[in-house]
């Protein structure tokens, strides 16, 4: 029951605050944080002592050659992990020639800024065409679909949620907006709720890890401004029942957002290849916006995504205009003011150089590799694949600690994503994994990791208990504080 859960959460938060107010408890928690962060510092700050560090601008500028040498050394160290395919997601293309080409494009356009459309009409041409090509790919051809570029999936989602909030306030007078979202929707939606004071109303997933449509039906109130569905979801790679959810939204005059950040540049090609892909795009009349990330399977450099809307009216609620500012007439389509036009140029260059045939071919290779990995994991008796995903493969274990398996994999160089509720890990398959031998290696290493964990039940591991605790501890404020300490550590300069 949702209200019991909510009551439980509020009670725990209260108990947690009361506990932390006791000095001895607080000191103990602080000591634990310090211990944990000291352990993490070694892996997060490997360059300490290896390269010069700065907390002040150097008095005399350094030699450019030295700076380039240092960066090359860091690149070489970091590249070996993602280049060989040991990473889940993160780098979606990564072939040397493609990267060199994007770098050339960046160099040509490095000074451009679409905020100054008159100075750089090339950039605005690139952006308008990226939006048009993406809309066309996502069922928007011949329809009233418009959009903008953003800096990434999270920004596209934040923009869309702000848009629905403002649209509902203006059109329906809703001042306490609510968003219905599956618990598996990306955290960016919860972030939008926090930033824009929208109430999140969570719905559970079914046995196939897809959003529960009946729960969505029951969750609708006069304050609901938007319903969310993922195609597919980040955690389990499941495609939500977008058709049913968007029909529901349509029938109630509510917005419906398809989060295709991950799948936007895979599913259209998968459908053309004959995979059973449910319709998730603007061909469904109830779908009123879509986020699709060019910097993932669009194979652009990091820093671009597309946000699309049905109808200019919605889009106009995203735009910002200032008419009385002494700085002059000011307007911007997204949160940023100045933006890196070079990234838009590189995105346009990626899309137009790869072309439909290139995307089809890449998708074919990714889906075939993912199928090999999925079937291989299914053959390991101690592991269980969650649902029947196409290219994001989440797996759990009913007999072993999955986080210990993840840790054993990290000792073999693999960087998999640890998830919780339920405890599992996932691999987001990219072109990096389609290189010869990578799928076989991951399956061999997984098999060995399983055997290792089985034969060493006494070993607690280093990160596995942290994951385990973070997944199960009822005091979520403690976990949240720990994550804030982690962010502090990331920004620690010396
Ligand atoms: C389904 C989904 N939505 C949104 C995002 C957020 O994208 P970004 O990390 O580019 O902000 C991701 C990232 O993995 C995702 O998988």
């Amino acid at each position: 029951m949702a209200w019991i859960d909510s009551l439980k959460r509020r009670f725990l938060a209260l108990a947690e605050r009361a506990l932390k107010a006791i000095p001895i408890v607080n000191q103990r928690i602080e000591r634990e944080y310090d211990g944990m962060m000291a352990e993490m510092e070694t892996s997060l700050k490997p360059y300490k002592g290896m390269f010069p560090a700065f907390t002040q601008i150097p008095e005399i500028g350094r030699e450019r050659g030295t700076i380039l040498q240092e960066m090359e050394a860091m690149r070489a160290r970091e590249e070996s992990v993602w280049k060989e395919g040991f990473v889940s997601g993160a780098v979606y293309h990564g072939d040397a020639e493609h990267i060199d080409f994007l770098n050339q494009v960046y160099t040509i356009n490095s000074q451009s800024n679409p905020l100054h459309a008159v100075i750089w009409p090339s950039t605005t041409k690139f952006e308008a065409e990226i939006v048009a090509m993406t809309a066309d790919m996502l069922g928007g051809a011949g329809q009233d679909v418009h959009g903008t570029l953003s800096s990434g999936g999270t920004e596209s989602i934040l923009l869309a949620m702000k848009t629905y909030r403002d649209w509902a306030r203006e059109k329906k007078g809703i001042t306490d907006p609510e968003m219905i979202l599956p618990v598996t929707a990306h955290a960016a939606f919860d972030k939008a709720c926090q930033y824009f004071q929208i109430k999140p109303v969570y719905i559970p997933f079914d046995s196939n890890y897809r959003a529960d449509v009946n729960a969505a039906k029951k969750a609708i109130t006069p304050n609901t401004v938007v319903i969310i569905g993922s195609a597919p979801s980040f955690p389990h790679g499941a495609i939500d029942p977008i058709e049913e959810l968007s029909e529901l939204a349509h029938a109630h005059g509510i917005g419906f957002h398809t989060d295709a950040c991950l799948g936007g540049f895979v599913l259209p090609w998968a459908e053309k290849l004959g995979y059973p892909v449910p319709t998730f795009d603007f061909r469904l009349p109830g779908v009123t916006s879509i986020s699709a990330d060019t910097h993932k399977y669009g194979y652009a450099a990091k820093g671009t995504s597309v946000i699309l809307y049905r109808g200019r009216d919605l889009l106009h609620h995203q735009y910002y205009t200032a008419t009385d500012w002494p700085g002059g007439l000011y307007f911007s389509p997204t949160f940023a003011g100045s933006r890196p036009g070079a990234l838009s140029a590189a995105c346009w260059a990626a899309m137009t150089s790869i072309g439909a045939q290139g995307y089809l071919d890449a998708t074919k290779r990714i889906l075939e590799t993912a199928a090999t990995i999925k079937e291989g994991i299914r053959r390991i008796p101690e592991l269980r694949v969650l649902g029947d995903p196409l290219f994001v493969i989440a797996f759990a274990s009913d007999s072993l600690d999955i986080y210990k398996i993840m840790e054993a994999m990290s000792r073999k160089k693999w960087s998999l994503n640890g998830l919780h509720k339920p405890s599992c890990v996932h691999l987001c398959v990219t072109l990096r994994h389609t290189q010869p031998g990578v799928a076989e290696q991951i399956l061999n290493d997984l098999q060995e990791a399983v055997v290792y964990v089985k034969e060493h039940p006494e070993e607690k591991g280093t990160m596995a208990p942290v994951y385990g605790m973070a997944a199960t501890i009822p005091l979520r404020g403690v976990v949240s504080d720990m994550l804030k300490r982690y962010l502090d550590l990331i920004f620690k300069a010396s």
Side-chain angles (χ1 to χ4, degrees), residues 83 92-98 265-266 269-270 273-275 297 299 353-374 390-393 427-440:
K83 214 168 193 175
Y92 292 79
H93 194 298
D95 282 1
E97 285 154 29
H98 180 67
F265 282 80
V266 175
W269 313 110
L273 289 165
Y275 284 84
Y297 292 97
Y299 309 125
S353 67
I354 291 169
Q357 284 307 319
Y359 282 112
L360 267 177
D361 177 58
T363 304
K364 183 169 184 291
R365 286 195 285 145
I366 287 170
L367 296 183
E368 283 173 3
T369 305
T372 303
I373 295 173
K374 186 170 66 176
L390 270 179
F391 61 96
V392 181
I393 306 162
L427 174 76
C428 175
V429 180
T430 69
L431 280 174
R432 294 289 85 211
H433 304 111
T434 66
Q435 299 175 92
V438 176
E440 292 70 22

Side-chain angles (χ1 to χ4, degrees), residues 5-17:
D5 282 347
S6 154
L7 205 68
K8 212 164 86 185
R9 265 200 309 276
R10 274 198 245 164
F11 174 76
L12 281 168
L14 210 70
E16 190 173 355
R17 272 203 297 279

Side-chain angles (χ1 to χ4, degrees), residues 321-331:
T321 59
T323 52
D324 297 316
W325 182 41
L329 290 178
Y330 184 94
F331 44 94

Side-chain angles (χ1 to χ4, degrees), residues 92 151-157 184-189 230-235 259-263 291 293 295-296 302 304-305:
Y92 292 79
S151 63
T154 298
E155 192 186 355
S156 288
I157 289 167
T184 48
H186 194 273
F189 291 96
S230 309
S233 71
F234 171 81
D259 179 14
C261 282
L262 203 48
S291 47
D293 287 359
H295 73 183
K296 292 190 174 78
K302 273 286 173 272
T304 62
S305 167

